[in-house]
Amino acid sequence: MAPLAKSVIYLDNAATTALDRRVLDAMYGVMSQGQTGNAHARHHIYGASAHNSVEAARRQVAESIGAEPGEIVFTSGATEANNLAIKGIAQHLRALGKTHIITSQVEHASVLEPLKELAKTGFELTILGVKPCGMIEADMIERALRPETGLVCVQAVNNEVGVIQPIEEITEMLAGRDVLFHCDAAQALGKSKFSVDFGIDFASLSAHKVYGPQGIGALYVRKERRQLLSPINSGGGQESGLRSGTLPAALCVGFGTACSLIENDTAHLRGLRWAFLSRIGWLKPIIYGHSHPQWNVPGILNIRFPGVDTETLIMALPDLAFGVGAACSSGGAKLSHVVRATTGSDQAARESIRLSFGRFTTHQEIRRAADLIIDAVENIKELQGAA
Ligand code: PMP
C-alpha cells in the first residue's frame, strides 16, 4: 500500500482506529515466530503455543466487558457477531413460536439486514423510531412487546451520532419477561461504560474500533444461552461449535491486547470536542445526537452546516478524512439513515458529516481541522451567494 499523506488529518475514528503501537508489538510477537501454529492442533508445541496465546487473549476480551472467557466467541468482526446472534437464535425462537423481534431504526446495517432477512422467513419485525436526540427509551420498547416477542436488539452506542442508549433501563424492563436481548456494542467498548452485567444475553464487539486489528471481533454469549444458539456456518466445530474456522492467533492476540489497553480516553476526547466546537461555534452548526455528555460519547460529533451539502464539503476538504453516513455501507458515502431517523429530514442527512476523534488525535490537528472547515464553509457560502 502506498504511504498515506500525513498532511491529511484523520477524523474518522468511528469508522476504524489506528493500531496502537503496543497492539502491533504484541501481534508481531506472534507473527514473527516463523511458524505460527494452528490453535486447534494442541497436540504439538506450535499449536499449543498458539492455543495459549488465543486463550490469554480471550481472557483479556472477556475481562473488558465483565464476561467469563468461555462466553467469548471470536468472529471476524462485529458484522459477523451480529449475524451470528440474530440468525443463530432464529431456530430456537421459531421452535417456541416467539417470532416477533423489536429493534430500532438507528441500528447498524449488520443488525438491520439480518433482521430483514428473518422477516422474509416468517418473523415479524418492529423497527422503532427514536426520539429527536437519537435515543430509544425502555418504555418505547415496552409498548411494542407482545406475547410472541422473542428478541430485542438495541445497540449500546450509535456509530453516527454517538448517542449512548439506555441499555440498563432496557434490560431492567425486560427482566423476567422471557425475551432475549442482543446488544451491538461495537462502538461502546472503550468509549462508554459497558458491561454484560447490565443483563445482556448477546453482545457484539469489534477490535478495530479500539485500536486493535481489522478482521477480528467477538460475540459475547451468556453461558446460560449458549445452547440456544445455532452456528451459521458449518465446518470443524471450533469455538464450541458456534464458529467453525481456524482462529487467527495474531489477530486474537491483537484484540486481547487492545482490550487490555482500553484506557479512559474520555477526558482527552472531551477536550478535543470542546476545543473544536468553541473554534467553529460562530458558524452556528447544528449538532446531532444527545446534548447531554452523559448520553453522548465525546469522540463522535455529527455536525451540519445548513445550506452546505456533504458532497461539496468532501471536495472542499481534501486534507480532512471524515465520515459521511455509515462507513460500512459499501461504496463509501451513503446518506445517513441515522440522521434521517433522528430528524425526519433528507436534507439534514444530505448536509451532515461525522467527525470522530480518537486516542491519537491532537489539539493541533483539531485546530487545523476547524480552520479548514471554517474556510471551506465560508467559501461555499460565498460561491452560493454569488450564484
Ligand atoms: N456495529 C456498529 C455500531 C459499527 O459501528 C460497526 C462498524 N462500523 C459494525 C457494527 C461492524 O463492525 P465490523 O467492521 O467489525 O464488522
Side-chain angles (χ1 to χ4, degrees), residues 2 7 10 92 112 118 140 143 158 209 259 280 310 334 347 354-355 359:
S7 59
Y10 188 76
H92 167 75
L112 288 173
L118 289 191
M140 296 158 74
R143 282 196 295 274
N158 183 266
K209 310 288 185 187
C259 287
I280 62 149
T310 306
K334 190 180 167 210
Q347 185 70 8
R354 178 189 64 187
L355 305 174
R359 185 179 293 169

Side-chain angles (χ1 to χ4, degrees), residues 164-336:
I164 300 172
Q165 300 293 0
I167 298 302
E168 269 182 287
E169 279 139 51
I170 295 171
T171 52
E172 259 169 42
M173 180 277 292
L174 290 176
R177 292 196 196 231
D178 204 16
V179 176
L180 296 168
F181 183 69
H182 165 253
C183 183
D184 175 359
Q187 295 285 351
L189 194 60
K191 295 193 184 78
S192 72
K193 268 200 297 173
F194 179 81
S195 164
V196 295
D197 284 344
F198 291 173
I200 289 164
D201 295 304
F202 310 109
S204 304
L205 307 172
S206 176
H208 72 99
K209 310 288 185 187
V210 284
Y211 314 94
Q214 297 177 346
I216 182 92
L219 180 66
Y220 157 79
V221 181
R222 182 173 291 282
K223 61 175 183 284
E224 295 81 7
R225 307 298 187 211
R226 188 138 197 149
Q227 295 314 314
L228 311 183
L229 211 58
S230 308
I232 55 173
N233 60 352
S234 314
Q238 289 92 343
E239 296 296 85
S240 313
L242 275 183
R243 204 273 188 168
S244 287
T246 302
L247 284 174
L251 295 182
C252 293
V253 165
F255 188 15
T257 308
C259 287
S260 76
L261 295 173
I262 286 177
E263 302 163 10
N264 199 343
D265 294 322
T266 307
H268 172 60
L269 297 175
R270 272 216 176 106
L272 295 173
R273 186 184 181 97
W274 186 84
F276 180 81
L277 287 176
S278 33
R279 210 161 173 104
I280 62 149
W282 61 274
L283 283 178
K284 300 210 178 348
I286 299 175
I287 293 158
Y288 294 116
H290 204 291
S291 53
H292 196 286
Q294 192 195 339
W295 294 110
N296 225 94
V297 294
I300 298 181
L301 182 62
N302 200 305
I303 197 162
R304 173 183 173 202
F305 303 97
V308 178
D309 75 75
T310 306
E311 294 294 327
T312 317
L313 258 190
I314 293 174
M315 289 199 300
L317 289 167
D319 287 340
L320 217 56
F322 57 90
V324 194
C328 309
S329 310
S330 60
K334 190 180 167 210
L335 283 193
S336 166

